[in-house]
DNA sequence: TATAGTATCTTTATCGGTAAAGATACTTTA
DNA sequence: TAAAGTATCTTTACCGATAAAGATACTATA
């Protein structure tokens, strides 16, 4: 019995979703494991990695990026500040805002990133650059999809700052 | 000035990692948002989705799958049980173990899955089945990579049960 | 078959996150 | 410019997660 084209498509899409769910679960596990390796709590790790990329951001932006409440972010910044990893300063243009500036990257996180990069290079060894670029395109597509799902949840919550970072 | 082949590769790999990090962050956000939509806490949602796929699992297996401590899983199972979503029973072959059995899927989670599936179908509308299959392959590769990273953290922690589910 | 060792779940103290209210500061409008 | 409205961070009460210790049951070894 021959399978129809559309049902094969649906089966492919179902497999795709299954793989995405698996990836989501693993991502969370890995986030926690990585933070554990670095001896830092997962939230603080994500915050520092992000801060390290952008240099500085407001407390509110960090809350949106990490998906935490502003209250939790206040506490996280307290921890980072007392660990000497980041510092607060008031935004001179808007004194309600608190700008958080990265001071230094926890050395274990940097070391971990090097290890993981090496591991990923080994994994991707047998793929051509063209294939890699196609993979990246595809990741961007699913990331856009995830963003739409998240916006489906709350239109104003994440969109503004997130889009401003990842569009280009 | 011409860019060397290896440095282009490294740039592609760096972009790839960047996209993976973004995807991890979005995955966590979406997990929480989805649970919020379903009116259930994220841990309970992940546990129920998993239980729904496999039918039943021990408390320890659920802890490993979700990345929670066994203590947290005890509390989660208490919640699920008192909400009538799952039930405990003692493993007759090993009375230390507690087997957790899915009773029913929260209706909001099922509804949400249908919505998201539709959304994903729209997203993938213009890709051929062949391309979809290539995407799935690639997801499986990165998932295997994530698993290796996690095992790097703790060899005995996650591996056994996780591998037994996803190898075939 | 005792005994020691290991595995599995539960309990408890502490910590991190959420939600909601509070304190300031900016913005709009009359 | 005064008042009302909105935005941003902090505080607080409660809840969920962790880590470590406890309770029970299986396993290996003499």
């Amino acid at each position: 019995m021959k399978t129809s084209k559309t049902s094969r498509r649906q089966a492919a899409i179902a497999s795709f979703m299954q793989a995405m769910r698996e990836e989501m679960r693993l991502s969370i596990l890995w986030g926690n494991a990585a933070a554990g390796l670095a001896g830092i709590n997962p939230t603080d790790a994500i915050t520092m990695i992000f801060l390290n990329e952008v240099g500085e951001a407001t407390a509110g932006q960090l809350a949106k990026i990490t998906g935490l409440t502003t209250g939790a972010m206040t506490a996280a910044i307290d921890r980072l500040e007392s660990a000497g990893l980041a510092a607060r300063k008031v935004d001179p243009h808007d004194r309600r805002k608190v700008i958080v500036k990265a001071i230094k990257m926890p050395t274990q996180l940097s070391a971990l990133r090097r290890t993981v990069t090496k591991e990923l290079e080994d994994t991707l060894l047998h793929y051509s650059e063209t294939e890699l670029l196609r993979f990246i395109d595809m990741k961007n597509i699913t990331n856009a999809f995830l963003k739409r799902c998240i916006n489906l949840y709350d239109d104003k919550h994440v969109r503004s700052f997130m889009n401003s970072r990842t569009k280009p």
Side-chain angles (χ1 to χ4, degrees), chain A:
Chain A
M1 181 178 159
K2 194 146 161 279
T3 315
S4 79
K5 192 176 173 183
T6 55
S7 77
R8 276 199 330 235
R9 246 194 98 79
Q10 280 176 353
I13 288 177
S15 299
F16 191 89
M17 282 193 72
Q18 164 74 25
M20 277 190 78
R21 276 198 298 277
E22 180 77 358
E23 184 170 38
M24 285 172 57
R25 200 170 55 72
L26 291 172
S27 293
I28 295 170
L29 283 180
W30 167 238
N32 294 337
L37 276 169
I40 188 175
N41 96 42
T43 295
D44 297 359
I46 293 173
T47 306
M48 281 311 299
I49 287 171
F50 182 79
L51 264 188
N52 198 247
E53 280 174 16
V54 298
E56 62 181 40
T58 70
Q61 286 171 331
L62 291 175
K64 281 174 190 147
I65 284 298
T66 55
L68 296 183
T69 59
T70 53
M73 187 44 68
T74 297
I77 296 167
D78 287 346
R79 290 193 299 271
L80 293 177
E81 206 168 29
S82 66
L85 299 174
R88 277 183 171 88
K89 67 179 183 189
V90 175
D91 184 338
H93 302 100
D94 184 343
R95 285 164 50 221
R96 293 169 302 182
K97 296 186 182 175
V98 164
I99 296 179
V100 183
K101 197 168 158 47
I103 290 183
K104 65 167 179 147
M105 192 66 166
T107 50
Q108 296 98 328
L109 279 183
S110 312
L112 187 58
R113 170 167 301 190
R114 277 193 297 278
T115 307
V116 168
T117 302
K118 182 74 179 59
E119 186 88 1
L120 187 61
E121 280 167 356
D122 292 349
T123 300
L124 301 179
L125 208 60
H126 301 297
Y127 292 90
S128 70
E129 197 196 330
T130 311
E131 282 171 311
L132 288 181
L133 292 178
R134 194 156 49 217
F135 287 169
I136 292 168
D137 279 350
M138 184 272 208
K139 278 223 168 297
N140 289 335
I141 288 162
T142 54
N143 283 348
F145 165 70
L146 279 175
K147 283 185 202 171
R148 264 185 300 131
C149 287
I150 293 167
N151 287 342
L152 189 150
Y153 169 63
D154 183 346
D155 254 319
K156 67 172 188 282
H157 185 52
V158 174
R159 195 159 45 190
S160 51
F161 191 60
M162 201 161 62
N163 285 351
S164 72
R165 273 193 70 236
T166 49
K167 271 285 174 50

